[in-house]
Amino acid sequence: MLSSRFICTSESMLTAFQETKLKYLFHLLDKNKSGVLEPTDFSEIGNEVIENLNLSKQELEKNNILKNADKFFLKLISNISVAEKKIITLDEWLAFFDTEIINAEDSIVTDEVVDLLLNFLFGSFDQNRDGYTSVRDYIQMFSVLGISRKDLTSAFIKFDVDGDCKLSRYELSSSVESFLISDDQQDPGNWIFGPWDH
């Protein structure tokens, strides 16, 4: 487990481009805008997903989404910070991605984080369980993070490289990994979480 000693310093190897994207994702997940990630951010996202999908009367689905939200935060904090603190600071977030994802010697942690994001954010919206995320699913999904429909449509077009208006699990996984790691500003995966470049 990583500890709070992993904070950003002048020795950070993140490029300015990578740091910009990671800060953008941090602020998207910081739903209550407190400047740190904490359990209430993730339960709030979970509740907005439930409302967005009209699942408030479907106890099993509702509980699964809230459970996944809690699991996502607990897994992040066990990797990034001291669990007892119950918060993740921006410095800890950036340092984690710097040392354990972007500049790591293997991809084990990267694969775990990508799976975590996919299961939490994307899994809830594949309501017909066909393994694909449609444009509609994608827009529904990220509107809970406060991104406009227009920006989301434009972002989807950028990373739907084969133009079939749906994304497979493999395409999603590849795009999320590109967002977290890539330093290539032309990489379509950079826009998986919407318009970070605004």
Side-chain angles (χ1 to χ4, degrees), residues 55-123:
L55 297 175
S56 56
K57 294 181 180 175
Q58 298 177 36
E59 288 303 315
L60 183 60
E61 289 287 340
K62 189 167 93 170
N63 289 340
N64 282 340
I65 287 168
L66 292 175
K67 218 178 276 184
N68 283 340
D70 190 47
K71 182 179 173 183
F72 184 32
F73 178 75
L74 289 174
K75 182 63 180 170
L76 279 178
I77 203 162
S78 72
N79 281 335
I80 297 175
S81 186
V82 177
E84 290 73 26
K85 284 196 322 179
K86 295 273 197 258
I87 62 166
I88 298 168
T89 67
L90 179 58
D91 279 347
E92 289 170 332
W93 172 266
L94 292 175
F96 169 74
F97 281 97
D98 183 5
T99 60
E100 301 300 313
I101 305 286
I102 294 170
N103 296 300
E105 292 180 6
D106 60 52
S107 64
I108 293 171
V109 179
T110 305
D111 294 342
E112 283 180 0
V113 171
V114 169
D115 276 346
L116 215 54
L117 281 163
L118 289 178
N119 292 335
F120 175 55
L121 293 172
F122 297 98

Side-chain angles (χ1 to χ4, degrees), residues 15-74:
T15 67
F17 176 61
Q18 290 166 329
E19 188 171 317
T20 297
K21 290 189 295 176
L22 291 169
K23 283 181 176 177
Y24 167 78
L25 180 57
F26 180 93
H27 293 302
L28 276 185
L29 295 173
D30 179 17
K31 282 293 284 179
N32 63 16
K33 305 305 174 200
S34 64
V36 296
L37 298 183
E38 52 196 333
T40 52
D41 292 315
F42 294 84
S43 57
E44 191 176 329
I45 292 169
N47 281 314
E48 287 194 28
V49 169
I50 289 162
E51 188 179 331
N52 204 317
L53 293 174
N54 296 314
L55 297 175
S56 56
K57 294 181 180 175
Q58 298 177 36
E59 288 303 315
L60 183 60
E61 289 287 340
K62 189 167 93 170
N63 289 340
N64 282 340
I65 287 168
L66 292 175
K67 218 178 276 184
N68 283 340
D70 190 47
K71 182 179 173 183
F72 184 32
F73 178 75
L74 289 174

